Amino acid sequence: MKQESASQSTPPASPSPSQTLELAAQRPRDDGDPPALWIFGYGSLVWRPDFAYSDSRVGFVRGYSRRFWQGDTFHRGSDKMPGRVVTLLEDREGCTWGVAYQVQGEQVSEALKYLNVREAILGGYDTKEVTFYPQDNPDQPLKALAYVATPQNPGYLGPAPEETIATQILACRGSSGHNLEYLLRLADFMQLCGPQAQDEHLAAIVDAVGTLLPCFCPTEQALALV
């Protein structure tokens, strides 16, 4: 009796929670409303989503901390000098603030297509389902799609002292601008969220940049970077 080949006997892989969320968002809803999806941004998406959306809300996700551990050879750096951008690190006590964008109808496929290039192909990020808590209504959390860089991707740089990260940020520029702009815009966003929004890692890098900046260029040139 012939044995079935491995390809015949192996069941198809089940979709991940994030894939299930993406697929559900692209199917018509039973109530007749257009399909909808929430996308959580915690890096450059908080100030430059660059895709059409129907609604946006400031808020946070629990169980994750933001870290400048992902290398960027396109947007904020180059192959020779990778910049540093953020990813999410699983952390039971962590809390990361950001912005969730709701896309509906045709916006869903357009946003996912755009973000697949920006975040996955050029950035090295994978998708992950997270629970988002709106700042103005945390008792009604939302399921959202987030783009997360894991240690398995080739651009992952991992941990380093904040002073080392600051030095790297000051030296790098990519197609979207200087790496310092990325850092400072993210810090500005956190200030707008209010005192309840804390990010010690981000604050330490900003402080390190403030200490190092006079060593790199005069004040006028430093301001020109951003």
Side-chain angles (χ1 to χ4, degrees):
M1 183 176 180
K2 290 185 178 181
Q3 293 184 344
E4 292 184 349
S5 65
S7 61
Q8 292 175 319
S9 59
T10 303
S14 300
S16 66
S18 63
Q19 291 172 328
T20 301
L21 193 64
E22 291 180 49
L23 292 171
Q26 298 180 70
R27 291 195 297 265
R29 290 166 49 172
D30 294 337
D31 57 12
D33 289 338
L37 174 69
W38 287 92
I39 299 170
F40 175 65
Y42 56 93
S44 61
L45 288 179
V46 303
W47 72 85
R48 188 174 64 85
D50 279 355
F51 57 83
Y53 57 90
S54 302
D55 191 12
S56 66
R57 299 183 188 179
V58 173
F60 55 89
V61 297
R62 295 187 177 127
Y64 296 92
S65 291
R66 178 170 32 219
R67 292 290 183 268
F68 277 80
W69 288 3
Q70 174 66 2
D72 186 344
T73 60
F74 183 81
H75 297 291
R76 300 291 175 173
S78 63
D79 290 334
K80 291 184 178 180
M81 298 182 67
R84 283 263 184 175
V85 291
V86 293
T87 184
L88 292 180
L89 174 71
E90 289 190 13
D91 177 3
R92 183 177 298 180
E93 304 300 322
C95 178
T96 297
W97 284 75
V99 180
Y101 301 93
Q102 185 188 52
V103 288
Q104 293 181 313
E106 294 181 355
Q107 293 176 344
V108 175
S109 59
E110 292 172 357
L112 291 176
K113 182 179 179 181
Y114 168 72
L115 290 172
N116 181 59
V117 175
R118 172 175 166 174
E119 304 293 336
I121 296 175
L122 296 177
Y125 289 73
D126 292 326
T127 54
K128 188 177 185 68
E129 181 185 304
V130 296
T131 301
F132 173 78
Y133 297 85
Q135 182 181 28
D136 58 355
N137 199 359
D139 293 333
Q140 294 187 8
L142 308 165
K143 292 296 182 183
L145 191 72
Y147 288 81
V148 179
T150 66
Q152 288 70 41
N153 86 84
Y156 192 78
L157 297 177
E162 278 79 9
E163 294 78 7
T164 301
I165 294 175
T167 300
Q168 190 170 354
I169 286 173
L170 283 170
C172 293
R173 176 186 291 274
S175 64
S176 295
H178 202 284
N179 206 175
L180 179 58
E181 178 196 19
Y182 179 98
L183 172 72
L184 296 182
R185 284 188 179 274
L186 191 53
D188 286 345
F189 165 76
M190 288 296 290
Q191 288 187 339
L192 292 174
C193 290
Q196 73 275 20
Q198 300 293 323
D199 190 327
E200 294 180 0
H201 177 69
L202 172 63
I205 296 172
V206 172
D207 288 344
V209 163
T211 302
L212 292 169
L213 195 55
C215 301
F216 277 79
C217 54
T219 303
E220 293 80 5
Q221 294 179 358
L223 292 174
L225 291 176
V226 296

